[in-house]
Amino acid sequence: MQIHVLGAGAGGGFPQWNCNCPNCDGLRKGTIKAKRRTQSSICVSGDGINWVLFNTSPDILQQIQEFPPLQPARAIRDSGIVGIVLIDAQIDHTTGLLMLREGQVKREIWCTDMVYQDLTTGNPLLNILGHYCGVNHHPIAVDGQTTFEIPGAANLRFTAVALKSAAPPYSPHRNDPHPGDTIGVLIEDTKTGKKCWYSPGLGEIEPHLPPLLEQADCIMVDGTFWTNTEMIDMGLMTKTARSIGHLPQSGEGGMMEALSPYKKARKVLIHINNTNPILREDSAERAELERHGIEVAYDGMDIVL
Ligand code: MLT
Ligand code: MN
Ligand code: ZN
């Protein structure tokens, strides 16, 4: 299977339009060693021709322009994207859908009932798309048993599980978390048997996760924050990383520690917030990740399993 990182940044991207944190300011001025990153999305293919898009970032048009395999020319209107999987209903993972409204063929969208509810009520993107291309919604079960396939996505099979988190601010059940508000997905190549775990939003290693992570040849997980109080320390937010569903990399029980049992897998952090020091390629924090065998995703990164 081929995995292509379309956007490795968290909400806001890097640099963020209104942010003057040391990273964003330093990137604009060219005084730090770091790469720009668009907002959170990957695409996956089992045959190199037909691709499944995971999340639809506000930067999707730029991301498609920069990755020609998503634009094959088999018909007057055509795309290499055969299906879209949404892992939550957050702005950075869904608003790009409005940019994919053209055409007579319905968008094929896989998401949980909870995400579908948010995207037809609090943030009714799917209703709006109904006035353009239209949408075929395919529900994702989160029992960890039911697998699903996507017609046209050769050799790929998916298993989703619910992850503990909160629904977005505009969700009708914002303060009442439900299974399926956020999912993690095990992506399997049925031809090679290789597996990739993908969860750009992961607040906690819950007991149902290790059996899935153990199977993975590549673990792509939440790389949002380095410390639990990163946003508080910079005066940018009053909430901790964990409280908004993002396990920080450092500290006791942090992501570096949590990933250490998984020896066979390639470990890659994705959905990296612009405040995170790991974005600086010569930072001590980046060196610490490297010592733990953990990579930092960047836009355009290709992983072949
Ligand atoms: C998150 O990952 O916590 C959200 O997507 C933040 C946002 O984009 O507003
Ligand atoms: Mn996000
Ligand atoms: Zn910033």
Side-chain angles (χ1 to χ4, degrees):
M1 112 176 70
Q2 286 173 253
I3 302 155
H4 182 81
V5 176
L6 292 165
F14 179 45
Q16 180 176 307
W17 69 282
N18 63 347
C19 189
N20 290 303
C21 75
N23 279 354
C24 290
D25 185 52
L27 187 67
R28 278 190 214 101
K29 290 183 174 147
T31 54
I32 62 167
K33 199 171 169 219
K35 293 182 181 70
R36 309 182 153 264
R37 282 168 173 81
T38 60
Q39 293 168 82
S40 183
S41 178
I42 64 168
C43 56
V44 179
S45 177
D47 63 5
I49 298 164
N50 299 291
W51 295 80
V52 176
L53 181 64
F54 278 82
N55 301 318
T56 314
S57 133
D59 304 314
I60 185 69
L61 295 184
Q62 180 190 339
Q63 294 169 343
I64 291 173
Q65 273 169 24
E66 284 167 14
F67 190 53
L70 294 186
Q71 357 147 346
R74 297 167 294 202
I76 181 101
R77 288 257 165 103
D78 187 32
S79 160
I81 301 168
V82 294
I84 300 171
V85 177
L86 303 174
I87 69 110
D88 60 29
Q90 298 273 1
I91 297 270
D92 57 345
H93 287 153
T94 60
T95 42
L97 286 170
L98 293 179
M99 302 302 112
L100 303 183
R101 66 192 175 283
E102 293 90 357
Q104 305 296 316
V105 182
K106 288 185 176 171
R107 294 297 90 79
E108 303 289 340
I109 298 179
W110 274 256
C111 66
T112 64
D113 290 339
M114 284 301 123
V115 168
Y116 186 76
Q117 193 192 96
D118 288 348
L119 296 181
T120 49
T121 56
N123 182 11
L125 293 175
L126 301 183
N127 302 352
I128 294 169
L129 276 188
H131 298 278
Y132 297 86
C133 57
V135 168
N136 276 330
H137 169 230
H138 308 268
I140 296 181
V142 289
D143 54 17
Q145 307 296 323
T146 316
T147 62
F148 66 97
E149 293 180 15
I150 294 183
N155 312 322
L156 295 179
R157 184 160 61 207
F158 310 89
T159 312
V161 290
L163 303 177
K164 212 179 261 183
S165 70
Y170 40 79
S171 169
H173 63 279
R174 165 70 166 168
N175 298 312
D176 178 20
H178 282 63
D181 288 334
T182 300
I183 56 171
V185 184
L186 192 67
I187 309 163
E188 182 183 356
D189 185 321
T190 53
K191 225 162 124 187
T192 63
K194 298 283 185 187
K195 293 174 188 170
C196 175
W197 168 262
Y198 176 61
S199 58
L202 183 65
E204 188 181 321
I205 308 287
E206 298 167 71
H208 63 293
L209 299 185
L212 293 160
L213 295 174
E214 272 156 23
Q215 297 175 44
D217 301 283
C218 177
I219 299 177
M220 289 191 109
V221 280
D222 192 325
T224 313
F225 299 115
W226 177 253
T227 68
N228 194 35
T229 56
E230 192 166 311
M231 297 295 272
I232 299 172
D233 298 344
M234 289 194 196
L236 299 173
M237 205 196 260
T238 54
K239 292 178 179 158
T240 63
R242 287 173 192 258
S243 77
I244 60 165
H246 299 298
L247 183 65
Q249 284 104 55
S250 64
E252 204 175 321
M255 193 63 86
M256 284 188 290
E257 197 181 300
L259 292 181
S260 62
Y262 308 105
K263 306 281 182 225
K264 82 163 178 181
R266 187 166 170 186
K267 299 169 217 169
V268 181
L269 298 178
I270 194 157
H271 188 279
I272 301 143
N273 198 58
N274 55 69
T275 50
N276 193 328
I278 63 173
L279 288 168
R280 294 196 302 273
E281 289 159 26
D282 51 5
S283 66
E285 292 85 354
R286 175 70 81 95
E288 196 173 339
L289 279 185
E290 276 165 23
R291 280 196 297 279
H292 282 81
I294 300 174
E295 299 170 68
V296 179
Y298 51 89
D299 292 19
M301 182 184 203
D302 283 301
I303 294 174
V304 179
L305 296 178

